[in-house]
Amino acid sequence: MSNLTPSGGTVACGHPATAAAAVEMLADGGNAYDAALAALCAAFFAEPVLASPGGGGFLLAAPAVGKPTLYDFFCQTPGRLPQKEQLDFYPIGADFGTAVQEFHIGRAAVAVPGVVAGMFAMHRDLCRMPLQRIIEPALQLAREGVRLNRFQAEVFRIVAPIFRATPAARQVFRAEGETDQLPGEQDCLRLTALGETLQALAEHGEAYFYHGDIAQQFVRFCGQGGLLDASDFAAYRVERRAPLSVPYRNTRLLTNPLPSSGGTLIAFALQLLTELDGGGDVGGRAQLARVMAMTGQARKDAGLDDPLHADAIRLLDAATVRQYAAQIRQRVVCARGTTHISVVDGEGNGASLSVSNGEGCGDMLGDTGIMPNNMLGEEDLNPRGFHHWNPGTRITSMMAPSLVRFADGRQVMLGSGGSNRIRTAILQVIVNLVDHGMTLDEAIAAPRLHVENDLLSVEPGLPAGELESLLAEWPNYHLWEAPSLFFGGVHAVEWQTSGTGGVGDLRRSGVSATARPGGA
């Protein structure tokens, strides 16, 4: 257990300004959901590549009294397959330093955004404070601007071709005093038009986005090479689901259920580890690597990236888990932009909130200050190939806002950014907490590994003997020189009757902050 203090609540997230917005709500008497919503709105300005009203996300709400609920407000495919021959859809290369990854952007990459609908559903169902009060910290950031820290500047550098793709994007996302240069570290970024849009949403409600002026701007925007029309916005709804709930050792995991894949894959991996008990390597790095590889194989076998694939439903059956565990025993394995906010208040209400804008479509929505998502241009989210999705359905996601409940009453809310690495980052933190008895800060700081397509990626810091035996089993490997944002960013908070605590993952410049008991 990490150091817990009596408090009015704790937040862990990706930026100090995001955290400050949450703490302000907690100190003012708000609950975890007021704080999480304030943090989300602040992230639009402090973490603009990763969080946007033009994207989608998920909230796992775990109230101190009542049943947990998973709010699905992720992006949705258009209601019709494309008929146009001339689509605004093209590839760019994002430079991650060690590799260049291809993404597709343009107006035909935009799926129906869900963040705004999620904000209002969250406020109606869970919050105590007026929406106008909740957005005040974000509006202050819009007026005063935010100076980019090193991590946010690096994110802009990686996706520079997207934010320089059109004159409109270059005009909004530019360095101080410059006309054609992205902001760098310590540059102040002022997103005033986005602030005006947020204020208008608070005044006019979500209908302004899905039926009114903003919906009309989206229709005009997509009329020039895009795929969405007014019916796509009118039909969008937030889905409320029962979380996926699975036991692991003396804990219970609650996470994002189907049709999204991340939570199911984490649950599958934990069940594999349970099935493999007795091998003398429970929770060990070699065992974890084998489980990661087999989970990737099960993901493909079950068609888990296709939300309509019936085999995905059977993935967590005991017989299926035993089948994949047997394969691990019998063979030697050879071998996006997302941000997360975790909040717990002093009463024990918990919020685990993950959002993404993909990388952004490269263009701006009229005068709103919004860059819409590029979810239809994400290869990993389109397993049938681009523009072959099921019409009018939720896009699957690896995002997995989660809760771990311990037998002694301790609760840990956690989640991560990191595309395909989300599931393995969260898995390793859970194993570190449950199997190795680490404190929350130790569990998040510990070296991570990731297996994808038989390539083992390893962070530095493993004991020499453990690393040597691991590499002997995985001849296709990459050793990273330093901890990296590649391995996700797990921001987590914990609650017990004695107090709250939190840890932000330094791999993604994470921070945590705690409100004083009884407010400011």
Side-chain angles (χ1 to χ4, degrees), residues 222-520:
C222 292
Q224 302 176 42
L227 297 168
L228 303 178
D229 63 24
S231 66
D232 293 313
F233 285 85
Y236 188 87
R237 299 289 186 273
V238 173
E239 299 287 348
R240 294 164 177 82
R241 311 182 196 280
L244 175 62
S245 176
V246 295
Y248 183 63
R249 316 297 190 204
N250 65 333
T251 71
R252 179 162 290 274
L253 170 72
L254 281 72
T255 190
N256 199 359
L258 294 171
S260 284
S261 58
T264 299
L265 291 171
I266 293 168
F268 177 79
L270 291 173
Q271 290 191 339
L272 270 181
L273 286 171
T274 301
E275 180 67 23
L276 291 164
D277 270 1
D281 191 28
V282 175
R285 295 306 191 324
Q287 188 83 294
L288 275 174
R290 300 178 200 120
V291 165
M292 288 177 189
M294 196 56 66
T295 302
Q297 182 59 51
R299 176 188 181 187
K300 296 175 183 177
D301 293 345
L304 202 57
D305 292 321
D306 182 349
L308 298 184
H309 200 299
D311 285 350
I313 299 172
R314 295 194 290 272
L315 185 61
L316 297 179
D317 285 353
T320 303
V321 173
R322 285 194 297 269
Q323 173 189 341
Y324 284 99
Q327 292 183 52
I328 291 178
R329 292 189 182 104
Q330 292 168 7
R331 76 183 243 242
V332 175
V333 180
C334 296
R336 182 121 359 249
T338 308
T339 195
H340 181 81
I341 299 163
S342 291
V343 185
V344 65
D345 61 30
E347 301 168 25
N349 299 300
S352 184
L353 174 65
S354 296
V355 294
S356 175
N357 202 39
E359 292 73 37
C361 74
D363 209 343
M364 305 302 297
L365 181 66
D367 60 0
T368 66
I370 296 172
M371 176 179 285
N373 66 83
N374 68 320
M375 297 300 181
L376 300 182
E378 295 276 346
E379 184 175 359
D380 193 53
L381 302 183
N382 293 271
R384 297 181 177 181
F386 294 126
H387 303 135
H388 289 87
W389 19 259
N390 298 302
T393 60
R394 282 293 198 273
I395 300 172
T396 189
S397 170
M398 197 60 66
M399 288 191 284
S402 300
L403 164 64
V404 180
R405 285 178 165 167
F406 291 76
D408 62 2
R410 177 188 181 196
Q411 299 195 73
V412 176
M413 306 289 303
L414 73 165
S416 179
S419 188
N420 270 348
R421 280 82 62 197
I422 289 174
R423 59 182 171 86
T424 55
I426 295 174
L427 171 67
Q428 288 170 94
V429 171
I430 294 173
V431 168
N432 289 340
L433 289 170
V434 177
D435 291 328
H436 301 307
M438 293 185 185
T439 63
L440 190 57
D441 50 354
E442 290 170 341
I444 290 174
R448 290 184 195 148
L449 52 91
H450 178 76
V451 177
E452 192 81 29
N453 297 324
D454 287 336
L455 173 65
L456 173 70
S457 298
V458 185
E459 280 189 315
L462 293 183
E466 187 174 0
L467 179 61
E468 183 178 349
S469 62
L470 187 62
L471 299 186
E473 189 171 324
W474 296 85
N476 185 22
Y477 63 83
H478 174 66
L479 301 180
W480 290 69
E481 295 181 357
S484 171
L485 62 86
F486 173 85
F487 293 91
V490 179
H491 306 319
V493 295
E494 58 183 324
W495 178 91
Q496 286 199 87
T497 54
S498 58
T500 65
V503 178
D505 197 329
L506 295 180
R507 295 170 181 83
R508 294 190 171 223
S509 291
V511 297
S512 67
T514 297
R516 295 179 181 177

Side-chain angles (χ1 to χ4, degrees), residues 121-190:
M122 184 176 173
H123 187 256
R124 280 192 301 270
D125 293 358
L126 302 166
C127 293
R128 296 174 181 166
M129 306 179 75
L131 184 58
Q132 188 64 55
R133 173 67 184 101
I134 290 172
I135 68 171
E136 282 180 4
L139 296 182
Q140 182 175 355
L141 296 177
R143 291 190 301 269
E144 298 177 0
V146 180
R147 292 200 177 274
L148 267 66
N149 61 21
R150 181 173 300 179
F151 176 71
Q152 295 300 323
E154 175 66 6
V155 172
F156 267 114
R157 184 200 65 76
I158 291 170
V159 295
I162 296 175
F163 285 80
R164 293 173 58 84
T166 62
R170 292 196 296 271
Q171 177 63 27
V172 173
F173 298 98
R174 58 189 176 89
E176 294 177 284
E178 302 289 342
T179 57
D180 195 32
Q181 183 175 330
L182 283 172
E185 186 176 358
Q186 291 305 310
D187 280 331
C188 184
L189 181 62
R190 288 184 175 85

